[in-house]
Each structure stands twice: as structure tokens, then as C-alpha cells.
Amino acid sequence: MKKMEKKKRKLNKKKRYFRIFSRFFIFFSFIFLIIFALKNSNFFNVTSISIEGNKNVSAAKIKKVSGLHKGSKFFVVSKKDRVKKLKSVPYIEDAKISYNLKGRVTIRVKERVPYYQLDVNDYLLVDDNFRILENSDKKRDNLVNLSGFNVENPQAGNYILTNKEDREKRDLLLELRNDEYSLRGNIRDIELLDSISTFTTVDGIKIEFGSYSNIDYKLKMLSLILKDISTTNKNAILIQMEKGDSPILITDGETDSKSDQEENKKLKKEENKNKSYREINQD
């Protein structure tokens, strides 16, 4: 009796496992047939593609990179993979793809905007995240000119200032764009050497910024000095941020008589007492 019961239990187990296996087999076979049918039918076919937000990247290139064209299957490749491929294009920062049941696809891209340019054989156009967007043979007037360091691989899509030793330079560039200092749009040229940096404003004022230390303090002082220059219409030539205990502003005054010059020097001394920087009139 016991042997018979054991055989029955084993047989019942086998039957149960077989039923479970059969159900899974039928289920996955059904799914496979559905996918096969959809893949080989006109369902989910792309009927049209519209591109939005592109300015520097052509619609033809966006379609090619996305892998979408009229008549192709939309779900053959995942949307995530298509977006990833689009973001590999240097100018494209982000992309969104939508599809409706009529087969209409819309690709919306957000393009990067050139902010810096470097004179490396051609002009490298770089966005504010330090990504190289393109190699241009024309210099642009509305971009910040960067110089003083080497670019290891000046190809579109790569990034500049990626090494550890470039961290201070990157931090300085980021702080220069900080709205707290109101310097964004006021700096035309930036030279970043290994130990010191130099700027030139859009008005042609040279700024010897000095080392990469005390960046926050020096930028606050620079902002105040430039604001004072703008308010008082001083003919500023040079600002030295690390020449003594406080920054120095050098101006170029008009030629006066000796008595006027002595009087102006006295006034300058009195003014300098109430300022956080020294002003020198270069005669």
C-alpha cells in the first residue's frame, strides 16, 4: 500500500509540473505569436515624422540617428535607446519622442548653445557644460574667447578641461557665470594659465585676476569695482586683483595742469580711504 501511494504521489507531481510547464509554454507561445504578428503587420508602422526644436542639426540627420523613417516599425527599438543615440550628437542636449496610433512620430530636441570659443587650428565652439559642439572656420563675436591651455582631443562631442589638474580652471569658469557676481556677459576674453588667469571685459578693461585661490572674494570685489566704473564713467585700463592688500584700479585720466593734478591726487587719496580697493591714475 505504501509503495502504491508513493507512486501515485510521484505521478501527481509529474502531472502538476507538466500542467505548469504546459501553461507557461502556451503563454509564451501566445506572446511570441502576438509580437510576430505585430512585427509583420502594418500596425505600429511610422507614417510621418516631424522634427521640432532643431536649429543647428538638420532634420535629415535627426531622422537618420533616431533610426526612424516612413514605413519603419516604431517599437522595434526602444524609445530610450533612440534618445540615447540622439544625445550622442554634439549639439543635442536632450530629446523626446512621441508616437500616436496613426503612426505619426514627433521628435522634439533641445539643442546646446555655444558659449565659449577656442582658437585651435579652427575655432572650437563649446557650450557652458564644456562640450565641444563643432569645429568652425569662422570666429564669432558673441562668444567668450578661451585661451591659455591645451585641448587634448579637439573633436566635436568631446569635453574640455576634463583632467584633475584642470579642476580649478573649471571652477573659475563656473563661478564667472554665477548670477551673484553679475559678470556673465561682461567678460570677453579669458586666459587660463597653469597658475594665473587674466580676463578682458567687453569694454576692453584688462583684469589681472591672479591665482585660483580666494575666487569667491576676488569675484565679489571685481563685481563691485566694475559696477563703480560703470556708475562713475571712469576711464579704466587695468584691474589688479592680487597686487597688495587690496585690488588696484588703474585709470587713464586726461592731462591737467600741475595744480589740477595735485588737487586730483588729494581727492583720490580721500576717495581711496572709503573704498575697498585702491585707484591709481596713470598720467
Side-chain angles (χ1 to χ4, degrees), residues 190-205:
I190 302 174
E191 184 181 32
L192 301 174
L193 300 176
D194 288 339
S195 56
I196 60 171
S197 57
T198 305
F199 315 144
T200 305
T201 70
V202 292
D203 296 322
I205 304 170

Side-chain angles (χ1 to χ4, degrees), residues 10 12-22:
K10 285 182 180 179
N12 289 334
K13 279 185 179 180
K14 287 181 179 179
K15 287 181 179 179
R16 187 164 63 250
Y17 289 145
F18 179 76
R19 284 197 300 270
I20 293 170
F21 174 79
S22 298

Side-chain angles (χ1 to χ4, degrees), residues 161-173:
L161 301 172
T162 56
N163 298 325
K164 285 184 178 179
E165 54 266 30
D166 296 325
R167 185 173 180 179
E168 289 179 328
K169 297 173 185 177
R170 285 174 62 92
D171 290 344
L172 176 57
L173 291 177

Side-chain angles (χ1 to χ4, degrees), residues 35-72:
I35 294 172
F36 181 81
L38 290 174
K39 189 175 180 181
N40 290 277
S41 70
N42 291 328
F43 217 55
F44 299 129
N45 274 12
V46 175
T47 58
S48 66
I49 304 172
S50 61
I51 312 297
E52 298 177 1
N54 62 312
K55 183 178 179 182
N56 295 288
V57 186
S58 68
K61 183 168 184 177
I62 291 173
K63 290 178 184 178
K64 183 178 179 181
V65 173
S66 70
L68 291 167
H69 57 84
K70 193 174 179 180
S72 63

Side-chain angles (χ1 to χ4, degrees), residues 65-66 77-86 97:
V65 173
S66 70
V77 179
S78 72
K79 192 187 296 186
K80 184 179 179 181
D81 287 340
R82 295 189 194 278
V83 169
K84 186 177 179 180
K85 288 180 180 179
L86 286 170
I97 304 174

